[in-house]
Amino acid sequence: VNHAPRRLSTASMLILGGSILLFIQFLPSSLQILTTVLVMVGKAGITISFAIVYVFSAELYPTVVRNMGIGICSMASRVGSIISPYFVYLGTYNRVLPFMLMGAFILLAGVFTLLLPETRDQPLPENVQQVLPVRCLCCPIVQHHSESEASKTPSQQEIQVQNSSVFSLPNSTPGPS
């Protein structure tokens, strides 16, 4: 995890696992050993990506909202863990449906991971303004508003003002009673 790029490692392992789930459906049932080997390789890819995601997601969020972001990611993964056993019931209608559905979702997650910014060897963002933008494959990357200020190191007072303004509500003027 320390030497590999997070974005590419996560995406490649997700794409590997999803591709194998989709590919297994085209193998004849007589090739049980090959099917078992491919299932284990796919499971290893998903397990590796799961381990990288914890590091990667912690590096994506700025310090002021990191614990909340990690909590939301953890909650989403637990919801996925609750829902995933019900995919097995789809097999009563069609044997390949659970594999095709999970393979497609995993492939989609791998492709969406490629849109995230790379965080390896990058400083952790301290506030929301320092977060790197999400890439779009169809549009050129424009300069993020924090890149021009990246060379300037903010003082401790500026950081406190920026962090406190993230959670402050706009002032509301009292209306007529």
Side-chain angles (χ1 to χ4, degrees):
V1 174
N2 291 334
H3 305 291
R6 274 77 156 139
R7 182 174 57 101
L8 291 177
S9 300
T10 305
S12 63
M13 291 296 115
L14 286 171
I15 291 171
L16 173 73
S19 301
I20 287 177
L21 267 178
L22 293 175
F23 178 71
I24 285 175
Q25 304 314 308
F26 301 111
L27 291 177
S29 58
S30 62
L31 298 175
Q32 292 178 350
I33 294 175
L34 179 63
T35 303
T36 304
V37 168
L38 286 175
V39 165
M40 290 298 117
V41 170
K43 184 174 177 163
I46 299 300
T47 304
I48 290 169
S49 69
F50 188 75
I52 298 170
V53 160
Y54 275 106
V55 175
F56 189 38
S57 60
E59 292 175 348
L60 285 173
Y61 293 108
T63 303
V64 294
V65 293
R66 187 168 296 134
N67 59 354
M68 185 173 35
I70 297 297
I72 290 171
C73 288
S74 180
M75 181 196 67
S77 71
R78 299 306 169 221
V79 168
S81 297
I82 291 168
I83 293 172
S84 66
Y86 294 104
F87 279 84
V88 174
Y89 294 130
L90 293 174
T92 58
Y93 301 107
N94 188 348
R95 185 185 72 80
V96 299
L97 189 60
F99 296 102
M100 298 298 269
L101 196 59
M102 287 301 289
F105 282 151
I106 293 170
L107 270 176
L108 194 63
V111 170
F112 282 151
T113 302
L114 291 173
L115 299 175
L116 296 172
E118 179 58 56
T119 60
R120 186 179 138 228
D121 297 332
Q122 299 291 324
L124 293 176
E126 293 292 326
N127 54 38
V128 178
Q129 289 81 17
Q130 294 176 345
V131 174
L132 296 172
V134 174
R135 296 177 185 225
C136 183
L137 297 176
C138 60
C139 304
I141 299 175
V142 296
Q143 183 176 2
H144 193 261
H145 60 83
S146 64
E147 289 179 10
S148 60
E149 300 171 3
S151 60
K152 183 182 116 179
T153 306
S155 67
Q156 187 67 22
Q157 183 180 11
E158 289 174 336
I159 291 174
Q160 288 174 350
V161 168
Q162 289 173 350
N163 290 345
S164 64
S165 67
V166 170
F167 296 106
S168 63
L169 296 174
N171 293 334
S172 60
T173 56
S177 301

